[in-house]
Amino acid sequence: MSWSAVQYVKFEEERTRPVRDLIARIPNAEVHCAADVGCGPGNSTEVLRERYPRAHIVGMDSSSDMIGAARQRLPDIAFEVADIREWRGERAFDVILANAVLQWIPGHETLLPALMAKLAPGGALAAQLPDNLDERLMRETAAAGPWAAKLADAGEARAERHGAAWYFRLLRLHAPHVDIWRTTYHHALSGGAHAVVEWLKGTGLRPFLDPLDETEREAFLARYEAAIAEAYPAEADGAVLLPFPRLFFVARR
């Protein structure tokens, strides 16, 4: 998929709030070496550095556009373009942060143990996954238009996600301490349904937009925005209250 750092940071405050909550729950007081896997444009890495200003921090992402933005934002941190499934790491880490990235990578039953194995004794894996699973309108819009054939597999781009109990049981095999919770944020977005679409264009809509040409993309977005307007009625001032659940866990070796 193609990723746009500019599109992603249009809602930076809303996107960064969950990672602030996540990093605040990491119990490790002293961290010498940390990694931000799936770092995006560096907003999560910046929060990690605020918490651990003396740590050596590295960041990686599969998108060169995101890494370019991260390097501009934090030129003193080493960022690299890499696939999390092939990332080896050069040392044992005290903290590995995976913020809003695991939902794009299949095979959590093998991926999470592999990340845990990269931790030093006492190290923590801290992760957050969007847990809305509310792709119904995207799928319905994809299936109902002239683009249906092109988008037949778009809904499969996200990896299978599981419930809290599934992740707890898996992580407990590798970590004696697992903290897991779910939070629903209610984001007040000015601009009505269009703002919701702009939000999702930076993340969940990517698999549905990338296969389309410009004309198809515009038509798809117009139809999808109409569906969003019906599903999320605007408040009197035109704002939309967007509920957005997220699943968090911190697993410490």
Side-chain angles (χ1 to χ4, degrees), residues 5 8-10 12-13 16 20 39-47 49-50 66-77 79:
Y8 186 89
V9 299
K10 282 183 177 180
E12 180 170 324
E13 180 58 33
T16 305
R20 291 189 184 279
C39 63
N43 57 314
S44 55
T45 319
E46 192 169 58
V47 179
R49 187 174 68 173
E50 288 171 3
M66 290 291 193
I67 288 296
R71 286 170 175 163
Q72 271 196 317
R73 183 180 193 134
L74 301 167
D76 56 329
I77 288 180
F79 291 99

Side-chain angles (χ1 to χ4, degrees), residues 142 146-154 207-208 211-213 216:
W147 42 71
K150 285 187 177 182
L151 300 182
D153 298 324
F208 294 89
L212 304 180
D213 62 35
E216 291 170 327

